[in-house]
């Protein structure tokens, strides 16, 4: 018997486990729930013997995590007050693809339009000199181009 596990739950399994299932990350991952809903994990235990004992499944992350930290270290007069109300977005990123549940293969979409993902926003009342956040995106290669930005920080 084969045992499969994945999270988060797909909205609907289309035509069984042998058909690639669509998955997309959330546009705004500044809230923990939306970040977690974008973190696709998968594990399988193939050819497990039928028994009443617990079976172990090792899960792996199928997507990529981007961490962003902004530090107001006083350079050029940049202080904690300058971080108040800041937002961080990833730009020009692929956000969807499909996963084959039988083997855990994730394939990024080559036809979906690229967009942006909000990583985090900083409260207007911020007093911290360092702020950070993370976002989950589809694995991809970014072109080295002066005309295409990857991270947008608005202060």
């Amino acid at each position: 018997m084969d045992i499969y596990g994945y999270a988060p739950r797909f909205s609907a399994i289309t035509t069984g486990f042998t058909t690639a299932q669509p998955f997309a990350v959330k546009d705004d991952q500044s809230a923990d729930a939306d970040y977690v809903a974008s973190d696709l994990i998968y594990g399988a235990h193939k050819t497990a013997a039928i028994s009443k004992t617990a079976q172990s499944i090792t899960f792996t992350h199928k997507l990529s995590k981007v961490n962003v930290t902004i530090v107001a270290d006083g350079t050029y007069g940049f202080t904690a007050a300058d971080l108040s109300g800041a937002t961080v977005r990833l730009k020009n990123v692929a956000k969807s693809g499909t996963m084959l549940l039988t083997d855990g293969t994730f394939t990024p979409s080559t036809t979906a339009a690229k967009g942006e993902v909000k990583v985090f926003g900083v409260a207007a009342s911020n007093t911290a000199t360092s702020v950070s956040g993370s976002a989950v995106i589809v694995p991809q290669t970014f072109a080295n181009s002066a005309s295409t930005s990857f991270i947008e920080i608005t202060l």
Side-chain angles (χ1 to χ4, degrees):
M1 142 178 88
D2 295 338
I3 303 170
Y4 303 96
Y6 59 90
R9 185 175 76 82
F10 292 104
S11 57
I13 299 293
T14 58
T15 65
F17 275 52
T18 58
T19 301
Q21 305 299 311
F23 184 81
V25 299
K26 301 287 185 179
D27 293 336
D28 183 346
Q29 296 181 31
S30 59
D32 286 344
D34 292 326
Y35 169 79
V36 170
S38 298
D39 189 12
L40 181 60
I41 60 172
Y42 171 85
H45 184 70
K46 302 281 183 127
T47 62
I50 296 174
S51 73
K52 294 182 181 181
T53 60
Q55 301 293 316
S56 296
I57 299 177
T58 301
F59 286 86
T60 58
H61 295 271
K62 302 309 290 182
L63 305 182
S64 298
K65 180 179 180 179
V66 176
N67 298 315
V68 178
T69 300
I70 306 171
V71 179
D73 63 0
T75 304
Y76 306 109
F78 194 57
T79 66
D82 295 313
L83 297 178
S84 298
T87 58
V88 176
R89 289 183 173 78
L90 302 179
K91 309 284 280 183
N92 303 303
V93 295
K95 300 186 294 179
S96 64
T98 58
M99 189 169 86
L100 189 57
L101 297 174
T102 54
D103 67 4
T105 302
F106 185 87
T107 305
S109 174
T110 57
T111 58
K114 293 186 175 189
E116 68 179 42
V117 172
K118 182 177 180 184
V119 181
F120 67 92
V122 181
S125 60
N126 177 66
T127 59
T129 57
S130 177
V131 293
S132 62
S134 300
V136 175
I137 60 172
V138 171
Q140 57 201 280
T141 301
F142 295 94
N144 186 6
S145 168
S147 64
T148 304
S149 60
F150 172 60
I151 298 176
E152 176 185 86
I153 301 170
T154 306
L155 300 174

